Amino acid sequence: MESVLVRTQPGGLDWACPQAAFDGCKSRLGGISKQGNRYLRWLLVAGAMAVIRYARQHGTKRLWLTRILERRPPKLAAVALANKIARMAWAIMVRNERFEEAKLLPAAA
């Protein structure tokens, strides 16, 4: 397990780190590559598709997910969600701490 934590990128998740492009003042993340562990990548995308399927049937409190589903096709949104999950998992492993869900702010009236 130690060898995974030494890596600069998420363990086996080199694909999750998009290329960055800077255009003047605006930075934009590029596409993800197919490097890293194929099975782990498949698991993350399959899990993200399950989250999206559940969110469509039952709704979600996650504003980020709602907005991306409005703008992008479901499979592309699943890859974006898988990328976000991979980054969160990597940060938890590197910092050696437990996951704490962010507090949701009440909607403005």
Side-chain angles (χ1 to χ4, degrees):
M1 188 74 173
E2 284 296 322
S3 62
V4 173
L5 297 177
V6 173
R7 294 179 61 121
T8 56
Q9 300 298 331
L13 300 176
D14 295 331
W15 67 275
C17 299
Q19 301 166 349
F22 300 100
D23 181 20
C25 297
K26 185 176 183 180
S27 65
R28 184 179 178 121
L29 294 176
I32 59 176
S33 68
K34 292 186 178 178
Q35 296 176 4
N37 187 328
R38 177 182 290 181
Y39 181 67
L40 188 55
R41 184 173 60 245
W42 176 81
L43 281 176
L44 286 167
V45 173
M49 282 298 295
V51 169
I52 288 175
R53 195 174 319 114
Y54 184 87
R56 284 182 151 184
Q57 291 174 355
H58 303 287
T60 180
K61 297 177 186 174
R62 303 283 172 224
L63 188 58
W64 179 86
L65 185 57
T66 305
R67 286 183 179 168
I68 200 162
L69 284 171
E70 290 171 354
R71 293 180 289 147
R72 302 283 187 239
K75 288 191 179 181
L76 194 64
V79 172
L81 181 58
N83 186 5
K84 187 170 185 165
I85 292 169
R87 288 176 181 272
M88 289 168 52
W90 179 73
I92 289 170
M93 285 191 315
V94 168
R95 294 180 186 147
N96 199 17
E97 60 186 33
R98 297 178 63 94
F99 176 73
E100 292 183 22
E101 191 168 357
K103 305 280 191 245
L104 295 175
L105 298 174

